[in-house]
């Protein structure tokens, strides 16, 4: 989601709540379970690196409008998953998504005032 797509939207409480619920809580949980939990589970060493590259490629393919940044994010998330586990990876992904949401919300409101 970028500023041009959300410019002019009505940001009422229901919209903000449902957006946070879907994009920052539910989506990362499903994505982390599938892309890290299934694809990298019990991998180690070179196998983990290869699994991370494959999982990141699949994750980027699921987000084709911004595949390069998503691929890089996914590699970092894979490292977090391998080193710290699922919960840390989920928190990392949640934090990334909620940060982006808040940033875009602020930009869209500033854009409306201009």
């Amino acid at each position: 989601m970028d500023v041009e797509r959300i410019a002019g939207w009505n940001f009422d409480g229901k919209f903000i709540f449902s957006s946070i619920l879907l994009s920052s809580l539910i989506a990362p949980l499903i994505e982390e379970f599938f892309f890290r939990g299934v694809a990298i589970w019990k991998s180690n060493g070179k196998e983990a690196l290869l699994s991370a590259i494959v999982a990141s490629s699949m994750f980027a393919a699921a987000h084709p409008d911004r595949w390069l940044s998503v691929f890089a994010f996914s590699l970092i998330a894979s490292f977090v998953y391998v080193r710290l586990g699922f919960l840390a990876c989920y928190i990392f992904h949640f934090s990334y998504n909620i940060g982006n949401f808040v940033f875009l919300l602020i930009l869209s409101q500033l854009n409306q005032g201009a």
Side-chain angles (χ1 to χ4, degrees), residues 51-94:
S51 296
I53 291 169
V54 170
S56 297
S57 297
M58 293 185 324
F59 190 66
H63 301 81
D65 56 329
R66 55 193 190 283
W67 68 270
L68 185 58
S69 63
V70 169
F71 180 79
F73 166 82
S74 185
L75 282 178
I76 295 167
S78 297
F79 176 77
V80 171
Y81 178 82
V82 169
R83 300 288 284 173
L84 302 173
F86 180 84
L87 182 60
C89 189
Y90 172 72
I91 291 169
F92 173 69
H93 196 153
F94 164 81

